Amino acid sequence: MERPRHQGMAKNTYMRWRLPLVCLLWEVAMIVLFGVFVRFGAEADAHWEEEKQEMNLTSDIENDFYFRYPSFQDVHVMIFVGFGFLMTFLKRYGFGAVGFNFLLAAFGIQWALLMQGWFHSFKNGKILIGVENLINADFCVGSVCIAFGAILGKTSPIQLLVMTLFQVTLFSVNEYILLNLLHVKDAGGSMTIHTFGAYFGLTVTRVLYRPNLEQSKDKQGSVYHSDLFAMIGTLYLWMYWPSFNSAISDHGDAQHRSAINTYCSLAACVLTTMAFSSMLQKKGKLDMVHIQNATLAGGVAVGTSAEMMLTPYGSLIVGSISGIVSTVGYVYFTPFLESRLHIQDTCGIHNLHAMPGLIGGIVGAITAAAATEDVYGKEGFIKAFDFTGVYQTRTPSIQGGFQAAGIVVSLLMAFAGGAIVGGILKLPIWGDAAAENCFEDEVYWEV
Amino acid sequence: MERPRHQGMAKNTYMRWRLPLVCLLWEVAMIVLFGVFVRFGAEADAHWEEEKQEMNLTSDIENDFYFRYPSFQDVHVMIFVGFGFLMTFLKRYGFGAVGFNFLLAAFGIQWALLMQGWFHSFKNGKILIGVENLINADFCVGSVCIAFGAILGKTSPIQLLVMTLFQVTLFSVNEYILLNLLHVKDAGGSMTIHTFGAYFGLTVTRVLYRPNLEQSKDKQGSVYHSDLFAMIGTLYLWMYWPSFNSAISDHGDAQHRSAINTYCSLAACVLTTMAFSSMLQKKGKLDMVHIQNATLAGGVAVGTSAEMMLTPYGSLIVGSISGIVSTVGYVYFTPFLESRLHIQDTCGIHNLHAMPGLIGGIVGAITAAAATEDVYGKEGFIKAFDFTGVYQTRTPSIQGGFQAAGIVVSLLMAFAGGAIVGGILKLPIWGDAAAENCFEDEVYWEV
Amino acid sequence: MERPRHQGMAKNTYMRWRLPLVCLLWEVAMIVLFGVFVRFGAEADAHWEEEKQEMNLTSDIENDFYFRYPSFQDVHVMIFVGFGFLMTFLKRYGFGAVGFNFLLAAFGIQWALLMQGWFHSFKNGKILIGVENLINADFCVGSVCIAFGAILGKTSPIQLLVMTLFQVTLFSVNEYILLNLLHVKDAGGSMTIHTFGAYFGLTVTRVLYRPNLEQSKDKQGSVYHSDLFAMIGTLYLWMYWPSFNSAISDHGDAQHRSAINTYCSLAACVLTTMAFSSMLQKKGKLDMVHIQNATLAGGVAVGTSAEMMLTPYGSLIVGSISGIVSTVGYVYFTPFLESRLHIQDTCGIHNLHAMPGLIGGIVGAITAAAATEDVYGKEGFIKAFDFTGVYQTRTPSIQGGFQAAGIVVSLLMAFAGGAIVGGILKLPIWGDAAAENCFEDEVYWEV
């Protein structure tokens, strides 16, 4: 059992029975629920041979697998290596960053397959899954990885699993409200993943406020090589973001367009980040924290609009702005949030996900409101916004209004959910470390 | 020439003429054999323009390249970065881990293209290759990388090349017996790659038993950053394993299904690994060795059955069990194998590949035996197990029996082959280091 | 402001206003130019729904996105992680290697989209872009990353941006001359990317010759972990090179063939590199510099011919030779270039890109000259070399001559362009560090 250094701060971080119990019980629950509910979708089922004939498909290449699997793998890398290594920047928390991210994401994707399945893929009492479900499960977990960034180094693995359980649930409800009830477009998740995930995480970390955190200040920094490990995470997130934003867009031009817009936005974002990183530092030197994080804001900020006709120059503008906002956030907002609002945001997710997520939601609303049949073509217009069935009469400006409503709903869900989940995580039963032992792998890992 | 520290243990590790000679002679042999035998397959040959017309293909997208190339690249990353970096956990053997893995795999894929080509792609005196051959060559080399894990740090690069030469040969014979003679299904290689590769490697390391290995005990551990490097390997293996198990499955639903099953199995495996890693340690702390390795057992254990109708919950069960077995193996079996059976297994391949490989073979046999036309559909059933031609009358239970026979054959080939090759590697001419210099890059690398 | 250690060497490396100004002004210029010129190509535009009907396309899978996007992502990884991490081998310049590579590439791809767009995708006053343009922009920037290798550690970020601006421009002109005027084939860029990029960079570093560079000799080496970081770069370049050489080849057999040839060439290259690395070192030990670099020469050396009927054994021969030439280059040529020709080539790009690039150009010319209708098939022959329209009457031997001319043009452009740009970079206004502060992140980064 971990012997705390100061008797007064004694906290029980002994995981031996609690962590195994949670992991095993929950995995058993997954097995039972999967057994009852989850089956292969038509395109992954051996009956597809017959399905193909019924649908008059002449080639196996029409299987959705070939449209989305390469993007899925890129997204998968972003979740596990991207987020995992991005958070290894702390000098003594590399195992926790990569390892706990691995744990929560592995649990989260299972639970997300169920939750999202009940909402979106439920037919005749069964959840039918295919590659698109895998992508969506990864997306959902992405929002948990984001929230993890705010509380990095300050929570036990059990707290992370508990948070994942609740956050995946709330994510799925929020996503259902946005996509199904409001009929909002958000393929890259500016609202559902980033805005929701970030404000949820920020609320949780606010509730878990640790007044004595400066006791572990010496461990909150990076060392030379931990910064290089973090750059692995950064670059994989940056390079594969075009896949992220295009992964679940409509086949054809929409996927193609999403990738181009995201590529452009991210390229511009790097330049404005470097500019402001140098400008805001007295000696004019570049700060690795900005390069590791703010360069990614351009991907977040076109998450809603990338599949729309944002145009390459529109993407450059959005990317440029988001890089500036994000870098300024690291320099001025993060210290302010900590000192005044008691929001201790380890990775600065407010700068990388929250503000760029809001920008993304707003840009999406504007781009949707500005859509015309001229720009999209008659059929392209209907297809892009899915203006069919009951939505046949929706106009772009109304769509823009609903998009804006989606931002508000996501924020409300994040604040309310974060407050409740934060309260649950505050219970003294989850084994989190004392303030002086935060950001330290030795608490939960054999080192 | 390396001056040994203790005169008594003097060993000649001088590589200057031996290593270049082996590399160059063998590469010349490859060139000659490729010149005589290897040509482009129809889909990679410039004559394909005419071939397309003959086959009435209307689109270039029907080229197998587009069905398999993304998976091929993922597999390629697993072999070179995945296995290479997984083995960098040793504090002073990072160059050897990545570098020798690079060397043996680069030679192995050439030799595998030939060996597998003669057995499977030989037409009119020529081996005709395409993207599927590249994947299979990578697979074959994967089994060598596995065996390398057992002898990591204790062999010279020449020994590794010699082992690769023989192991690729034996792999190809074993694969031919299983796939062609027994008509066994094993798309992800639970039997051909993992069971064979691991027991082969364990037999080799048994033959090469070093009684004084505790002399280099201090170098057998990891340091903080070497563990993070190893996690790069782990995560790439974990993330891309769905591609591994689906890479050579039939086009369409089979590839799709394999990816889903593997995704599910691996997710479950992470939770049970974490649970048992914490449970089996007195202080309840997590052990990076388990996280780095046992989390991957779920991929191994569905290697045979992933393309079958294993179902997502079946995959969760298999993944859960294999994570437990593998972690328990690291804690109890590895020390037992070393102290009682004199099997010094540096990376613990018995836990990551041997036992999960056996599980994979057995699960495959059971899943095949349990197949029904109801579950697969009439046509899907025939296609999934290739029950055509002389195999038209095979029933699922007979297929299950042959699958089980495949495990036995793989084991026998591994033990017999490993014993012979181990004997060859024991000859005192290959330049391996003294026990006290094991796990040390300085012997073969400029540091 | 950085206080120089020796008063006499005082150099102003203060970036606070200069770097932001350049980044922001240039990004604004990009936005304006994109606004005026860049639009989505037909396959990324929402009008594609109608386009499809006009072109009688029955499936979304015919969108070029699905033919090229996986390769694009691999190329993207090569540029940002591959080149970025390959250059982290220096013990104190990891931030600069990864970070400046990130900066210059992010700017370069924007400028390349414009420059290459004006030359190749300009229709009715607009540049129409799709996934192929993204690949080509990455390719173009690849040549800048190569040149960066020669001046690594010795230049300020502003110098790198200035070099990028000019080099991308010259690259595009050279590419236009080769591909459009000479009608040369060079899908993997042996000439346009490697030969041009390397000789350009070598000329620049010659002009920027620093006589006192031995003052920072202690920082020019690597440490254990920096060599492992560099291996990440090496392996990603090595593994994804088949995607690089096949990314913009014709759909179908040409892409397929390019990947196979490159795979073979790179495999052979590893063996000859290991052989010569050991052979040329007195103690017979392997040198990480060779393993990190010369193993990649095989990819460079089939850059022109990979899409042709080079054949697998031809690829093995080319790869073997290039590995030898490159390793010998590191041992003998690099010191010679530095001491006699005053060419200080930090990463040894002369060995990895210049010489193998020349080999690639020559092998391409020979392979083209040796082409026959028998080997390619009647239609395959025309398609492979695009012998249509005004080129209908070109014979293979004439094509070979033009290919050879392409090498010469690339060399001339590189020398002339490098001399001019080197001269510009020599101006004392760009904030480069004193010789004693080279190869040191502290100059431009918060460490």
Side-chain angles (χ1 to χ4, degrees), chain A residues 40 44-47, chain B residues 257 261 305-311 367 375-376 385:
Chain A
F40 294 121
D45 193 289
H47 283 89
Chain B
R257 189 163 59 242
N261 280 329
S305 56
E307 63 173 4
M308 302 177 189
M309 289 292 282
L310 179 60
T311 74
T367 313
V375 169
Y376 287 75
F385 296 98

PDB file of all heavy atoms in Angstrom, chain A residues 40 44-47, chain B residues 257 261 305-311 367 375-376 385:
ATOM      1  N   PHE A  40     -23.841  -8.412 -36.110  1.00  0.00           N
ATOM      2  CA  PHE A  40     -23.229  -7.796 -37.287  1.00  0.00           C
ATOM      3  C   PHE A  40     -24.289  -7.115 -38.144  1.00  0.00           C
ATOM      4  O   PHE A  40     -25.376  -7.660 -38.357  1.00  0.00           O
ATOM      5  CB  PHE A  40     -22.532  -8.853 -38.150  1.00  0.00           C
ATOM      6  CG  PHE A  40     -21.346  -9.482 -37.492  1.00  0.00           C
ATOM      7  CD1 PHE A  40     -21.285 -10.853 -37.280  1.00  0.00           C
ATOM      8  CD2 PHE A  40     -20.263  -8.704 -37.083  1.00  0.00           C
ATOM      9  CE1 PHE A  40     -20.182 -11.432 -36.669  1.00  0.00           C
ATOM     10  CE2 PHE A  40     -19.158  -9.293 -36.475  1.00  0.00           C
ATOM     11  CZ  PHE A  40     -19.121 -10.662 -36.258  1.00  0.00           C
ATOM     12  N   ALA A  44     -21.446  -6.743 -42.790  1.00  0.00           N
ATOM     13  CA  ALA A  44     -20.416  -7.528 -42.105  1.00  0.00           C
ATOM     14  C   ALA A  44     -20.901  -8.948 -41.820  1.00  0.00           C
ATOM     15  O   ALA A  44     -20.151  -9.773 -41.294  1.00  0.00           O
ATOM     16  CB  ALA A  44     -20.019  -6.855 -40.793  1.00  0.00           C
ATOM     17  N   ASP A  45     -22.117  -9.240 -42.194  1.00  0.00           N
ATOM     18  CA  ASP A  45     -22.702 -10.545 -41.921  1.00  0.00           C
ATOM     19  C   ASP A  45     -22.475 -11.474 -43.120  1.00  0.00           C
ATOM     20  O   ASP A  45     -22.445 -11.034 -44.267  1.00  0.00           O
ATOM     21  CB  ASP A  45     -24.206 -10.373 -41.684  1.00  0.00           C
ATOM     22  CG  ASP A  45     -24.841 -11.617 -41.087  1.00  0.00           C
ATOM     23  OD1 ASP A  45     -24.970 -12.634 -41.821  1.00  0.00           O
ATOM     24  OD2 ASP A  45     -25.197 -11.585 -39.901  1.00  0.00           O
ATOM     25  N   ALA A  46     -22.315 -12.754 -42.814  1.00  0.00           N
ATOM     26  CA  ALA A  46     -22.070 -13.718 -43.892  1.00  0.00           C
ATOM     27  C   ALA A  46     -23.251 -13.815 -44.858  1.00  0.00           C
ATOM     28  O   ALA A  46     -23.104 -14.300 -45.974  1.00  0.00           O
ATOM     29  CB  ALA A  46     -21.750 -15.090 -43.301  1.00  0.00           C
ATOM     30  N   HIS A  47     -24.400 -13.343 -44.437  1.00  0.00           N
ATOM     31  CA  HIS A  47     -25.547 -13.325 -45.351  1.00  0.00           C
ATOM     32  C   HIS A  47     -25.408 -12.277 -46.453  1.00  0.00           C
ATOM     33  O   HIS A  47     -26.267 -12.174 -47.312  1.00  0.00           O
ATOM     34  CB  HIS A  47     -26.850 -13.030 -44.579  1.00  0.00           C
ATOM     35  CG  HIS A  47     -27.372 -14.205 -43.812  1.00  0.00           C
ATOM     36  ND1 HIS A  47     -26.983 -14.459 -42.525  1.00  0.00           N
ATOM     37  CD2 HIS A  47     -28.239 -15.197 -44.148  1.00  0.00           C
ATOM     38  CE1 HIS A  47     -27.583 -15.561 -42.086  1.00  0.00           C
ATOM     39  NE2 HIS A  47     -28.341 -16.032 -43.051  1.00  0.00           N
TER      40      HIS A  47
ATOM     41  N   ARG B 257     -16.137  -8.145 -41.225  1.00  0.00           N
ATOM     42  CA  ARG B 257     -16.417  -8.886 -39.992  1.00  0.00           C
ATOM     43  C   ARG B 257     -15.149  -9.117 -39.168  1.00  0.00           C
ATOM     44  O   ARG B 257     -15.146  -8.989 -37.943  1.00  0.00           O
ATOM     45  CB  ARG B 257     -17.050 -10.224 -40.384  1.00  0.00           C
ATOM     46  CG  ARG B 257     -17.611 -11.041 -39.277  1.00  0.00           C
ATOM     47  CD  ARG B 257     -18.556 -12.085 -39.861  1.00  0.00           C
ATOM     48  NE  ARG B 257     -17.940 -12.984 -40.820  1.00  0.00           N
ATOM     49  CZ  ARG B 257     -18.298 -13.080 -42.104  1.00  0.00           C
ATOM     50  NH1 ARG B 257     -19.262 -12.341 -42.613  1.00  0.00           N
ATOM     51  NH2 ARG B 257     -17.688 -13.926 -42.904  1.00  0.00           N
ATOM     52  N   ASN B 261     -14.690  -8.041 -35.232  1.00  0.00           N
ATOM     53  CA  ASN B 261     -14.401  -9.015 -34.178  1.00  0.00           C
ATOM     54  C   ASN B 261     -13.084  -8.699 -33.462  1.00  0.00           C
ATOM     55  O   ASN B 261     -12.996  -8.787 -32.228  1.00  0.00           O
ATOM     56  CB  ASN B 261     -14.328 -10.435 -34.773  1.00  0.00           C
ATOM     57  CG  ASN B 261     -15.712 -11.041 -34.989  1.00  0.00           C
ATOM     58  OD1 ASN B 261     -16.654 -10.752 -34.257  1.00  0.00           O
ATOM     59  ND2 ASN B 261     -15.830 -11.880 -36.008  1.00  0.00           N
ATOM     60  N   SER B 305     -10.561 -17.138 -35.885  1.00  0.00           N
ATOM     61  CA  SER B 305     -12.018 -17.053 -35.933  1.00  0.00           C
ATOM     62  C   SER B 305     -12.567 -15.691 -36.311  1.00  0.00           C
ATOM     63  O   SER B 305     -13.773 -15.555 -36.534  1.00  0.00           O
ATOM     64  CB  SER B 305     -12.582 -17.451 -34.567  1.00  0.00           C
ATOM     65  OG  SER B 305     -12.015 -16.623 -33.566  1.00  0.00           O
ATOM     66  N   ALA B 306     -11.719 -14.662 -36.396  1.00  0.00           N
ATOM     67  CA  ALA B 306     -12.241 -13.309 -36.622  1.00  0.00           C
ATOM     68  C   ALA B 306     -13.071 -13.212 -37.894  1.00  0.00           C
ATOM     69  O   ALA B 306     -14.077 -12.519 -37.945  1.00  0.00           O
ATOM     70  CB  ALA B 306     -11.098 -12.298 -36.675  1.00  0.00           C
ATOM     71  N   GLU B 307     -12.668 -13.939 -38.944  1.00  0.00           N
ATOM     72  CA  GLU B 307     -13.424 -13.819 -40.197  1.00  0.00           C
ATOM     73  C   GLU B 307     -14.676 -14.704 -40.194  1.00  0.00           C
ATOM     74  O   GLU B 307     -15.493 -14.647 -41.102  1.00  0.00           O
ATOM     75  CB  GLU B 307     -12.536 -14.160 -41.394  1.00  0.00           C
ATOM     76  CG  GLU B 307     -12.030 -15.586 -41.387  1.00  0.00           C
ATOM     77  CD  GLU B 307     -11.292 -15.948 -42.687  1.00  0.00           C
ATOM     78  OE1 GLU B 307     -11.106 -15.090 -43.553  1.00  0.00           O
ATOM     79  OE2 GLU B 307     -10.925 -17.129 -42.826  1.00  0.00           O
ATOM     80  N   MET B 308     -14.794 -15.540 -39.164  1.00  0.00           N
ATOM     81  CA  MET B 308     -16.002 -16.361 -39.038  1.00  0.00           C
ATOM     82  C   MET B 308     -17.089 -15.578 -38.293  1.00  0.00           C
ATOM     83  O   MET B 308     -16.872 -14.465 -37.841  1.00  0.00           O
ATOM     84  CB  MET B 308     -15.668 -17.649 -38.277  1.00  0.00           C
ATOM     85  CG  MET B 308     -14.576 -18.476 -38.942  1.00  0.00           C
ATOM     86  SD  MET B 308     -14.152 -19.941 -37.956  1.00  0.00           S
ATOM     87  CE  MET B 308     -12.693 -20.513 -38.851  1.00  0.00           C
ATOM     88  N   MET B 309     -18.257 -16.199 -38.141  1.00  0.00           N
ATOM     89  CA  MET B 309     -19.357 -15.516 -37.452  1.00  0.00           C
ATOM     90  C   MET B 309     -19.189 -15.652 -35.935  1.00  0.00           C
ATOM     91  O   MET B 309     -20.091 -16.116 -35.226  1.00  0.00           O
ATOM     92  CB  MET B 309     -20.694 -16.085 -37.923  1.00  0.00           C
ATOM     93  CG  MET B 309     -21.055 -15.703 -39.341  1.00  0.00           C
ATOM     94  SD  MET B 309     -21.415 -13.928 -39.570  1.00  0.00           S
ATOM     95  CE  MET B 309     -23.097 -13.866 -38.899  1.00  0.00           C
ATOM     96  N   LEU B 310     -18.023 -15.226 -35.445  1.00  0.00           N
ATOM     97  CA  LEU B 310     -17.735 -15.326 -34.019  1.00  0.00           C
ATOM     98  C   LEU B 310     -18.698 -14.482 -33.193  1.00  0.00           C
ATOM     99  O   LEU B 310     -18.988 -14.816 -32.043  1.00  0.00           O
ATOM    100  CB  LEU B 310     -16.284 -14.878 -33.778  1.00  0.00           C
ATOM    101  CG  LEU B 310     -15.763 -14.863 -32.352  1.00  0.00           C
ATOM    102  CD1 LEU B 310     -15.812 -16.245 -31.725  1.00  0.00           C
ATOM    103  CD2 LEU B 310     -14.332 -14.341 -32.315  1.00  0.00           C
ATOM    104  N   THR B 311     -19.185 -13.422 -33.789  1.00  0.00           N
ATOM    105  CA  THR B 311     -20.077 -12.415 -33.177  1.00  0.00           C
ATOM    106  C   THR B 311     -19.304 -11.505 -32.217  1.00  0.00           C
ATOM    107  O   THR B 311     -18.331 -11.930 -31.600  1.00  0.00           O
ATOM    108  CB  THR B 311     -21.271 -13.013 -32.375  1.00  0.00           C
ATOM    109  OG1 THR B 311     -20.790 -13.547 -31.148  1.00  0.00           O
ATOM    110  CG2 THR B 311     -22.009 -14.053 -33.159  1.00  0.00           C
ATOM    111  N   THR B 367     -15.526 -22.542 -33.413  1.00  0.00           N
ATOM    112  CA  THR B 367     -16.386 -21.680 -34.215  1.00  0.00           C
ATOM    113  C   THR B 367     -16.701 -22.327 -35.563  1.00  0.00           C
ATOM    114  O   THR B 367     -17.831 -22.245 -36.063  1.00  0.00           O
ATOM    115  CB  THR B 367     -15.718 -20.306 -34.432  1.00  0.00           C
ATOM    116  OG1 THR B 367     -15.226 -19.824 -33.181  1.00  0.00           O
ATOM    117  CG2 THR B 367     -16.697 -19.304 -34.996  1.00  0.00           C
ATOM    118  N   VAL B 375     -26.828 -19.611 -39.774  1.00  0.00           N
ATOM    119  CA  VAL B 375     -26.061 -18.454 -39.312  1.00  0.00           C
ATOM    120  C   VAL B 375     -25.342 -17.749 -40.463  1.00  0.00           C
ATOM    121  O   VAL B 375     -25.230 -16.531 -40.484  1.00  0.00           O
ATOM    122  CB  VAL B 375     -25.041 -18.889 -38.235  1.00  0.00           C
ATOM    123  CG1 VAL B 375     -24.050 -17.769 -37.933  1.00  0.00           C
ATOM    124  CG2 VAL B 375     -25.767 -19.324 -36.966  1.00  0.00           C
ATOM    125  N   TYR B 376     -24.856 -18.507 -41.420  1.00  0.00           N
ATOM    126  CA  TYR B 376     -24.039 -17.936 -42.491  1.00  0.00           C
ATOM    127  C   TYR B 376     -24.832 -17.647 -43.767  1.00  0.00           C
ATOM    128  O   TYR B 376     -24.355 -16.929 -44.638  1.00  0.00           O
ATOM    129  CB  TYR B 376     -22.879 -18.884 -42.860  1.00  0.00           C
ATOM    130  CG  TYR B 376     -21.777 -18.923 -41.830  1.00  0.00           C
ATOM    131  CD1 TYR B 376     -21.938 -19.594 -40.619  1.00  0.00           C
ATOM    132  CD2 TYR B 376     -20.567 -18.272 -42.051  1.00  0.00           C
ATOM    133  CE1 TYR B 376     -20.933 -19.633 -39.670  1.00  0.00           C
ATOM    134  CE2 TYR B 376     -19.548 -18.308 -41.103  1.00  0.00           C
ATOM    135  CZ  TYR B 376     -19.737 -18.991 -39.924  1.00  0.00           C
ATOM    136  OH  TYR B 376     -18.733 -19.020 -38.983  1.00  0.00           O
ATOM    137  N   PHE B 385     -16.124 -20.995 -45.723  1.00  0.00           N
ATOM    138  CA  PHE B 385     -15.216 -22.120 -45.480  1.00  0.00           C
ATOM    139  C   PHE B 385     -14.678 -22.730 -46.766  1.00  0.00           C
ATOM    140  O   PHE B 385     -14.003 -23.743 -46.752  1.00  0.00           O
ATOM    141  CB  PHE B 385     -15.912 -23.183 -44.621  1.00  0.00           C
ATOM    142  CG  PHE B 385     -16.249 -22.686 -43.254  1.00  0.00           C
ATOM    143  CD1 PHE B 385     -17.520 -22.216 -42.954  1.00  0.00           C
ATOM    144  CD2 PHE B 385     -15.271 -22.640 -42.271  1.00  0.00           C
ATOM    145  CE1 PHE B 385     -17.821 -21.732 -41.696  1.00  0.00           C
ATOM    146  CE2 PHE B 385     -15.560 -22.156 -41.004  1.00  0.00           C
ATOM    147  CZ  PHE B 385     -16.829 -21.696 -40.718  1.00  0.00           C
TER     148      PHE B 385
END
